[in-house]
């Protein structure tokens, strides 16, 4: 299958509850939607302080599994998390001090993609787990459109 690439506008909202405290992150950036074979990818950058960026890649597999990779070179942090509806998955966080194994438990996930005009939604509700302890509850809401 040929590679299909489209410029898209990405809006990502993440609500995080850690130690009883709610934080909200909003990212609104241009990005690219790419279809290669049976997988779909969304690529965009997150603006950080000091005019720096982190690159984010979201992969949706044919089976509906979602992979989220985030790399921030300036802070030497990279994470790769996997999400499968109602399942535990193992991922990791790479730091300058080494690799920390992380787990996710996907409470709910939904992917809706429409081809004409190209648009979509990716919703993930999950727990982030380190050393068998839930360290945060997350609501990941990504909307994109061409």
């Amino acid at each position: 299958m040929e590679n299909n690439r489209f410029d898209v506008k990405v809006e990502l909202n993440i609500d995080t509850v850690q130690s009883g405290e709610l934080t909200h992150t909003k990212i609104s950036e241009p990005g690219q939607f790419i279809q290669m074979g049976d997988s779909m990818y969304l690529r965009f950058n997150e603006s950080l302080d000091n005019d720096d960026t982190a690159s984010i890649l979201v992969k949706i597999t044919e089976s509906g599994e979602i992979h989220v990779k985030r790399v921030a070179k300036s802070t030497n942090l990279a994470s790769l998390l996997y999400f499968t509806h109602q399942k535990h998955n193992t991922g990791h966080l790479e730091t300058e001090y080494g690799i920390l194994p992380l787990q996710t438990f996907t409470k709910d996930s939904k992917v809706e993609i429409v081809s004409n005009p190209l648009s979509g939604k990716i919703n993930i509700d999950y727990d982030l787990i380190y050393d068998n302890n839930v360290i945060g509850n997350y609501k990941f809401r990504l909307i994109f459109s061409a």
Side-chain angles (χ1 to χ4, degrees), residues 20-93:
E21 192 172 312
L22 173 68
T23 56
H24 180 78
T25 305
K26 181 173 183 163
I27 300 169
S28 189
E29 299 282 346
Q32 275 200 329
F33 176 88
I34 304 156
Q35 180 150 6
M36 289 194 318
D38 293 326
S39 296
M40 293 172 270
Y41 300 83
L42 267 172
R43 182 180 309 199
F44 58 98
N45 289 327
E46 173 187 358
S47 296
L48 304 173
D49 296 332
N50 303 325
D51 294 327
D52 205 4
T53 60
S55 62
I56 299 175
L57 179 66
V58 178
K59 176 182 179 182
I60 302 138
T61 68
E62 180 182 21
S63 65
E65 186 174 88
I66 304 163
H67 308 173
V68 178
K69 182 176 185 177
R70 182 180 181 275
V71 178
K73 289 186 178 157
S74 65
T75 58
N76 293 320
L77 289 175
S79 61
L80 181 56
L81 301 175
Y82 300 93
F83 305 96
T84 308
H85 187 73
Q86 292 284 302
K87 292 200 180 334
H88 282 91
N89 285 293
T90 301
H92 64 270
L93 173 67

Side-chain angles (χ1 to χ4, degrees), residues 116-145:
N116 196 8
L118 177 64
S119 63
K121 294 179 188 174
I122 302 168
N123 293 345
I124 311 168
D125 294 350
Y126 68 98
D127 291 335
L128 188 62
I129 303 161
Y130 174 70
D131 199 24
N132 293 320
N133 294 306
V134 175
I135 58 173
N137 310 105
Y138 294 79
K139 290 189 183 299
F140 177 102
R141 303 289 184 263
L142 188 149
I143 299 170
F144 69 91
S145 59

